[in-house]
């Protein structure tokens, strides 16, 4: 049974070494929590001064749970007790940091302030006294009082033990979030002390009056005394991690704002204390390995919780609309209260298996989440994954609906070879849907979310047997399981492709691409422009640039940065200036046409923009022709100028590119004797989609391609005959204005076309 007693912070640190074990999260306090602590110190000092000796002032500082590990040798005459900090590490870390900052300030006063040492210790003596108790005893090798979690360890050594300034951490771009949080905490404390110093001294340390210096020294002494004696905690001593888990569950699940991850972990450790078969150390280690993986990738507590949610969707297949006991909403409560998960009502062997499988899956999925969240990391891990797939992953992650796809892509990372065609094909299916539905059409980011959560679970368990599923969840979690991973990937791609055709058909894509203001949707009622505004424009232009460079050979592609870098550096360029300096640079109906997609390009920050608002010919000669940007070099001859005719010609090229680049997997092929006009293509698309929808239960083809051929060769083994001519069985058609007929001369009501196999 845990021993509980009220103790001062001085008693907590006395004859102890406090160690934050690996399974604990790292330092997480923000400037807000640190500022709150400093406000508490201001309050208790004022309160202590007000009541004087009439009564003791006590400030409750929360709960500290310590696991008594063993007695250890110490640099003092008495042995110390080694404790693992189970709960309270944020408060204890900040306390040690605060004392360190106060000690640094005492060193600044040493030799400057005159102190009556018969009545009070000197600044140097106080410095040594408090460093000995809260930081490191006499700088002995075995004198460390506090050892924080691994991701904070180096920063603590620099900032507290070695008394380095916060900039040694904050100036490093690669510094981990826990290290940055600790450095920011020290910054806040130093700022607070600087305000105190200025208020007391009214001058620099060297020029201050002794009376003011002594008053400031007395204030520092009061702060240290408050930390020592006024701040009290409820100290619980436990014998192992399992008992700590039980205590953590009772103490922390009532009103304290814990993260989802912390609540889940506390329940799992509670279970480990109740079930002999469960190894609490292994459960804690696997769980915290997952959290640490996300944190090492630069994630904060919010991202850790997001990961836990996405993993839960993949692991269980739950959605808000389809789950048992839907009245229980929070994940940690579902885990502890629903029999198929980690309810203590389950048989011990089943509960043990579920918890072990859950934390093992969580640990494995953390790397998958990091890779999907940051495709550059995936590229560093795997040489065989191509740049196009990485760019598509980046596009999915920035489309505004990343959480829709992450469970599925995590499952794909875990269940397929990420360097394989099937992984690339699944990523492409997701990216095509995301770009067409969310980026171009600006549809609700909730589209497909529930379906893809279910599909992520189907893929995750595709190589499990029904017995495996029943043993783990005490039920079949989903109907219509796939026969294997290959079957799952193929079927999921087909489902996404079908939804692409239904939710973002080509006719709607063309309509959006040719509207007047694609950035903000001005002049377009009911449409707010592209889903991510300028970033969507940049992605379309980036892929267009890649396409043009690939046509020139691979050399140009090698000099094009990845999309993540591109979107951060490239700037949108208006070919006809957004705000022209001269009338000749304006388009007809300039305000309505300046933000059309075909009037947009990109430039690099270093490109010369001194004539950016000038006429097209000067812009071309001064900026575009030497830019080494393929889409600018492709623009019309500068002597021809830039008008609506040139814009609309470029618009046709961009529309054709977008339809091909973000084409669906399922497509119709239309064979013609001559190239159709834009209006003829629109007519044929409408007729074919109407016919196909009637034949295929209302579904729509995501893509229709038009090919011309002078001879009768129509063979393409990737297509099947779907709607041939009823007379000759052929496929080729001739066009005459709005009329079409088979090449054999037969009048046909529905166009001839094929559908991909």
């Amino acid at each position: 049974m845990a021993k509980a007693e009220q103790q001062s912070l001085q008693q907590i640190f006395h004859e102890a070494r406090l160690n934050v074990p690996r399974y604990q999260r790292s330092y997480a306090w923000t400037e807000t929590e640190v500022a709150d602590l400093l406000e508490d110190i201001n309050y208790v000092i004022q309160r202590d001064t007000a009541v004087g000796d009439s009564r003791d002032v006590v400030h409750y500082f929360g709960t500290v749970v310590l696991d008594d590990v063993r007695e250890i040798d110490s640099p003092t005459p008495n042995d110390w007790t080694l404790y693992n900090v189970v709960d309270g590490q944020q408060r204890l870390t900040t306390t040690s940091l605060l004392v360190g900052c106060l000690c640094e300030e005492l060193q600044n006063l040493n030799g400057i302030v005159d102190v009556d040492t018969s009545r009070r210790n000197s600044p140097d003596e106080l410095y040594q006294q408090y460093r000995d108790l809260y930081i490191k005893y006499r700088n002995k090798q075995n004198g460390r009082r506090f050892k924080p979690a691994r991701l904070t360890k180096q920063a603590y050594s620099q900032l507290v033990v070695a008394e380095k300034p916060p900039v040694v951490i904050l100036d490093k771009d690669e510094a981990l979030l826990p290290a940055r949080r600790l450095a920011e905490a020290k910054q806040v404390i130093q700022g607070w002390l600087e305000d105190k110093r200025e208020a007391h001294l009214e001058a620099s340390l060297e020029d201050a009056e002794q009376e003011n210096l002594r008053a400031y020294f007395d204030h520092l002494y009061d702060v240290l005394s408050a930390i020592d004696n006024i701040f009290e905690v409820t100290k619980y001593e436990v014998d192992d991690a399992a008992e700590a888990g039980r205590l953590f569950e009772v103490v922390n699940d009532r009103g304290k704002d814990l993260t989802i991850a912390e609540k889940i972990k506390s329940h799992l450790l509670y279970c480990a204390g109740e079930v002999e078969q469960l190894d609490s150390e292994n459960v804690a280690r696997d769980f915290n390995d997952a959290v640490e993986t996300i944190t090492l990738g630069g994630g904060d507590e919010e991202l850790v919780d997001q990961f836990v949610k996405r993993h839960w969707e993949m692991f269980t297949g739950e959605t808000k609309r389809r789950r048992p006991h839907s009245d229980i909403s929070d994940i940690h409560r579902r885990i502890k209260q629903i029999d198929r998960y980690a309810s203590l009502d389950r048989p011990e062997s089943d509960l043990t298996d579920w918890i072990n499988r859950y934390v093992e899956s969580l640990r494995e999925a953390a790397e998958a989440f990091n890779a999907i969240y940051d495709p550059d990391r995936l590229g560093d891990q795997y040489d065989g994954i191509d740049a196009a797939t990485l760019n598509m992953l980046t596009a999915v992650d920035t489309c505004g609906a990343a959480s829709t796809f992450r469970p599925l892509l995590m499952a794909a990372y875990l269940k397929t070879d990420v360097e394989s065609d099937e992984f690339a094909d699944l990523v492409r299916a997701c990216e095509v849907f995301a770009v067409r539905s969310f980026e171009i059409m600006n549809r609700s980011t909730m589209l497909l979310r529930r379906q893809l959560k279910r599909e992520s679970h189907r893929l995750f368990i595709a190589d499990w047997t029904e017995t495996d599923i029943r043993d783990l969840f005490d039920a079949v979690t989903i109907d219509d399981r796939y026969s294997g991973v290959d079957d799952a990937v193929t079927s999921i791609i087909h489902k996404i492709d079908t939804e692409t055709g239904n939710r973002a058909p080509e006719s709607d894509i063309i309509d959006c691409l040719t509207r007047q203001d694609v950035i903000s949707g001005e002049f377009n009622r009911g449409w707010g422009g592209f889903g991510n505004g300028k970033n969507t424009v940049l992605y379309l232009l980036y892929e267009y640039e890649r396409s043009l460079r690939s046509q020139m050979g691979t050399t140009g592609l090698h000099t094009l940065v990845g999309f993540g870098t591109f979107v951060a550096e490239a700037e949108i360029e208006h070919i006809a200036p957004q705000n022209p300096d001269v009338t000749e640079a304006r388009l007809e109906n300039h305000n309505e046409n300046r933000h059309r997609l075909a009037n947009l390009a990109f430039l690099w920050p270093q490109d010369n923009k001194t004539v950016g608002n000038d006429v097209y010919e000067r812009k071309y000669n001064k900026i575009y022709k030497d830019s080494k940007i393929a889409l600018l070099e492709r623009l019309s001859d500068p002597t021809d100028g830039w008008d609506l005719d040139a814009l609309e010609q470029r618009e046709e090229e961009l529309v054709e590119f977008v339809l091909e680049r973000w084409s669906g997997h399922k497509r119709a092929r239309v064979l013609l004797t001559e190239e159709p006009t834009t209006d003829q293509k629109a007519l044929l698309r409408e007729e074919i989609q109407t016919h196909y929808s009637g034949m295929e239960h209302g579904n729509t083809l995501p893509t229709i391609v038009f090919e011309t051929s002078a001879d009768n060769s129509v063979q393409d083994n990737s297509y099947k005959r779907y709607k041939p001519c009823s007379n000759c069985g052929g496929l080729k058609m001739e066009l005459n204005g709005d009329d079409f007929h088979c090449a054999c001369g037969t009048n046909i009501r529905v166009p001839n076309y094929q559908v991909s196999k």
Side-chain angles (χ1 to χ4, degrees):
M1 189 69 181
K3 296 179 291 183
E5 59 180 318
Q6 205 77 0
Q7 286 194 350
S8 67
L9 287 176
Q10 181 187 55
Q11 291 172 304
I12 294 292
F13 279 85
H14 180 64
E15 293 189 354
R17 178 177 299 153
L18 305 174
N19 175 69
V20 180
R22 186 166 179 262
Y23 62 78
Q24 285 285 7
R25 65 172 177 161
S26 295
Y27 189 70
W29 267 20
T30 66
E31 296 177 13
T32 301
E33 287 84 16
V34 177
D36 288 345
L37 169 60
L38 299 178
E39 280 299 310
D40 287 347
I41 290 173
N42 287 335
Y43 170 77
V44 299
I45 290 175
Q46 292 170 2
R47 180 69 178 156
D48 190 49
T49 302
V51 301
D53 296 330
S54 61
R55 93 176 106 128
D56 292 335
V57 174
V58 173
H59 182 75
Y60 182 62
F61 197 39
T63 299
V64 171
V65 181
L66 302 177
D67 178 4
D68 184 345
V69 180
R70 64 179 184 276
E71 296 292 312
I72 57 172
D73 292 335
S74 79
T76 66
N78 299 321
D79 287 342
W80 290 354
T81 302
L82 174 63
Y83 291 106
N84 278 340
V85 181
V86 177
D87 184 39
Q89 64 136 322
Q90 307 296 328
R91 293 183 290 277
L92 296 177
T93 306
T94 309
T95 297
S96 183
L97 173 66
L98 173 58
V99 170
C101 291
L102 290 163
C103 287
E104 290 180 42
E105 198 69 1
L106 288 171
Q107 279 291 76
N108 293 333
L109 286 174
N110 195 43
I112 294 178
V113 61
D114 293 335
V115 177
D116 183 357
T117 55
S118 65
R119 297 177 57 249
R120 177 169 293 177
N121 288 341
S122 69
D124 187 55
E125 290 169 330
L126 278 179
Y127 169 89
Q128 195 61 62
Q129 174 187 334
Y130 278 91
R131 275 187 65 88
D132 284 351
L133 179 58
Y134 288 93
I135 299 169
K136 188 173 184 179
Y137 185 85
R138 305 287 169 171
N139 285 323
K140 299 288 186 180
Q141 187 172 358
N142 64 341
R144 285 283 289 269
R145 290 291 190 172
F146 186 79
K147 290 190 175 183
R150 189 166 71 93
L151 300 186
T152 319
K153 185 176 180 180
Q154 185 177 2
Y156 179 88
S157 294
Q158 291 178 290
L159 297 170
V160 183
V161 179
E163 300 180 341
K164 300 288 186 183
V167 293
V168 301
I169 304 296
L170 298 177
D171 283 354
K172 294 180 180 178
D173 292 337
E174 69 276 11
L176 297 173
L177 181 63
R180 299 188 72 83
R181 287 268 171 85
L182 193 68
E184 289 163 357
K186 184 167 185 177
Q187 238 179 9
V188 172
I189 295 169
Q190 287 182 329
W192 178 71
L193 286 171
E194 186 176 335
D195 291 343
K196 298 291 185 184
R197 188 192 318 129
E198 290 178 356
H200 280 88
L201 303 187
E202 302 177 351
S204 66
L205 279 172
E206 293 77 10
D207 298 332
E209 300 288 338
Q210 279 297 321
E211 181 181 357
N212 293 338
L213 286 168
R214 280 192 291 271
Y216 180 50
F217 174 68
D218 288 344
H219 179 73
L220 296 180
Y221 183 85
D222 289 342
V223 174
L224 288 167
S225 296
I227 294 170
D228 254 356
N229 303 308
I230 298 178
F231 277 69
E232 289 191 356
V233 298
T234 302
K235 173 190 172 186
Y236 290 88
E237 264 191 52
V238 297
D239 294 326
D240 54 36
E243 186 180 0
R246 291 195 295 271
L247 182 61
F248 192 83
E249 181 89 352
V250 172
V251 170
N252 287 290
D253 199 24
R254 295 180 182 172
K256 184 181 175 183
D257 190 15
L258 298 174
T259 67
I260 295 171
E262 289 171 328
K263 291 174 182 178
I264 293 173
K265 185 180 74 172
S266 73
H267 174 67
L268 299 182
L269 289 177
Y270 181 85
C271 292
E274 298 294 312
V275 178
E276 188 175 348
Q277 300 173 46
L278 272 170
D279 186 328
S280 58
E281 294 291 340
N282 287 342
V283 170
R285 187 177 301 110
D286 277 354
F287 195 98
N288 283 279
D289 279 349
V291 173
E292 191 170 286
T293 296
I294 303 299
T295 306
L296 280 169
D300 55 13
E301 289 181 342
E302 183 179 347
L303 192 64
V304 169
D305 277 356
Q306 186 185 134
F307 157 66
V308 170
K309 291 176 183 176
R310 301 294 83 81
H311 170 266
W312 181 254
E313 292 158 358
M314 179 191 74
F315 186 70
T316 65
E318 284 193 352
T319 67
K320 287 186 178 180
R321 292 187 184 180
R322 293 189 62 182
R323 60 185 182 182
H325 302 283
S326 58
D327 55 311
I328 306 172
S329 57
D330 296 331
I331 292 177
H332 75 285
R333 297 193 187 282
R334 294 185 65 75
I335 288 176
K336 72 168 70 171
Q337 294 178 25
I338 297 177
D339 290 344
R340 66 165 60 177
Y341 303 136
S343 165
L344 283 168
D345 292 334
R346 287 192 79 173
E348 288 193 2
S349 60
D350 292 348
L351 178 60
T352 298
D353 188 39
W354 192 93
I355 290 176
N356 285 335
R357 291 286 292 275
Y358 173 73
V359 294
E360 178 186 2
S361 170
L362 200 71
R363 176 173 52 79
E364 293 170 350
E367 188 58 50
F369 182 87
N370 269 356
I372 301 306
Y373 185 79
D374 183 1
D376 288 341
R377 183 183 290 112
L378 184 62
D380 292 337
Q381 286 179 304
Y382 296 96
D383 294 334
I385 189 167
D386 64 25
T389 301
L390 296 176
N391 288 331
M392 286 188 281
L393 279 171
T394 301
V396 169
D397 195 63
T398 57
C399 72
S403 61
T404 295
F405 299 99
R406 276 187 190 143
L408 177 62
L409 293 174
M410 284 167 58
Y413 179 98
L414 294 170
K415 295 297 180 176
T416 70
D417 177 0
V418 297
E419 297 175 311
S420 67
D421 289 342
E422 63 178 355
F423 181 79
D425 289 344
L426 183 56
V427 170
R428 186 179 188 282
C430 293
E431 187 251 8
V432 167
F433 184 88
V435 170
R436 288 173 61 153
S437 298
F438 304 139
E439 298 274 21
I440 295 175
M441 291 187 63
N442 197 3
R443 299 201 65 180
S444 167
T445 55
M446 297 300 291
L447 283 179
L448 224 61
R449 180 168 293 183
R450 182 170 57 87
Q451 296 97 308
L452 290 189
K453 286 177 182 179
R454 301 286 286 177
E455 293 302 325
S456 73
H457 180 61
R458 280 191 168 97
L459 175 55
F460 182 68
I461 64 170
D463 54 356
W464 294 14
T465 66
E466 183 174 325
T467 301
D468 292 335
I469 299 168
R470 287 189 179 278
D471 286 347
L472 188 63
F473 294 109
D474 203 28
V476 174
T477 55
I478 206 157
D479 298 327
D480 303 323
R481 289 189 304 110
Y482 294 121
S483 61
V485 171
D486 291 344
D487 177 41
V489 172
T490 301
S491 299
I492 292 169
I493 290 173
H494 173 71
K495 290 178 179 180
I496 297 173
D497 195 58
T498 299
E499 290 298 327
T500 300
N502 293 339
R503 311 278 189 161
E506 282 187 319
S507 56
D508 290 353
I509 297 299
I510 295 169
D511 179 52
C512 292
L513 292 172
T514 55
R515 288 182 179 180
Q516 289 176 319
D517 183 352
V518 298
I519 294 176
S520 61
E522 190 178 0
F523 315 113
N524 300 284
R525 181 175 296 177
W527 184 68
F530 288 159
N532 277 320
K534 291 183 178 181
N535 282 354
T536 301
V537 172
L538 286 173
Y539 186 52
L540 300 184
L541 295 176
Y542 174 83
E543 288 296 301
Y544 186 44
E545 180 74 10
R546 275 183 59 85
S547 174
L548 294 176
R549 292 194 188 197
S550 67
Q551 296 169 27
M552 304 175 192
T554 57
T555 303
L557 277 177
H558 289 161
T559 60
L560 184 62
V561 297
F563 176 63
T565 303
F566 176 88
V567 76
E569 296 181 358
E571 301 171 359
I572 287 181
E573 162 72 357
H574 287 72
I575 300 170
Q578 186 173 188
N579 301 297
D581 289 337
V582 293
T583 303
E584 292 82 355
R586 296 176 66 87
L587 292 166
E588 183 181 339
N589 297 321
H590 185 76
N591 287 344
E592 289 85 350
N593 290 305
R594 60 182 177 168
H595 293 316
R596 284 172 68 172
L597 178 62
N599 192 49
L600 305 177
F602 73 88
L603 289 172
W604 299 113
Q606 67 270 21
D607 288 326
N608 176 19
K609 305 181 186 69
T610 55
V611 294
N613 291 330
D614 212 331
V615 295
Y616 175 70
E617 184 174 1
R618 287 201 68 200
K619 291 181 70 172
Y620 188 94
N621 291 325
K622 290 285 188 179
I623 306 175
Y624 299 164
K625 74 175 184 179
D626 296 322
S627 65
K628 297 182 180 179
I629 296 174
L631 60 79
L632 291 177
E633 294 173 358
R634 190 180 178 86
L635 293 175
S636 60
D637 189 279
T639 58
D640 294 337
W642 183 256
D643 55 17
L644 284 186
D645 288 340
L647 185 149
E648 286 169 359
Q649 182 180 341
R650 184 173 187 251
E651 188 171 75
E652 286 187 23
E653 294 177 4
L654 285 170
V655 167
E656 288 300 316
F657 165 72
V658 170
L659 294 181
E660 175 56 32
R661 165 60 182 82
W662 286 280
S663 60
H665 183 76
K666 176 73 74 174
R667 55 176 60 192
R669 178 186 185 230
V670 182
L671 196 66
L672 301 162
T673 57
E674 59 186 30
E675 183 68 27
T677 66
T678 299
D679 289 341
Q680 287 171 332
K681 287 180 180 179
L683 172 65
L684 292 171
R685 282 193 179 96
E686 183 179 357
E687 295 288 345
I688 290 169
Q689 292 288 20
T690 300
H691 178 264
Y692 183 84
S693 178
M695 299 291 290
E696 299 292 338
H697 312 292
N699 289 324
T700 303
L701 284 159
T703 298
I704 299 174
V705 297
F706 301 93
E707 297 180 14
T708 58
S709 175
D711 56 34
N712 291 322
S713 175
V714 297
Q715 186 65 32
D716 188 332
N717 292 329
S718 62
Y719 290 90
K720 61 185 177 181
R721 290 174 181 266
Y722 194 86
K723 196 280 164 190
C725 173
S726 58
N727 181 42
C728 70
L731 293 166
K732 191 180 298 184
M733 292 190 301
E734 293 179 349
L735 298 172
N736 182 15
D738 291 344
D739 296 325
F740 48 84
H741 57 267
C742 181
C744 72
T746 303
N747 289 324
I748 50 178
R749 186 172 57 84
V750 177
N752 299 332
Y753 67 99
Q754 298 170 281
V755 174
S756 56
K757 295 178 180 178

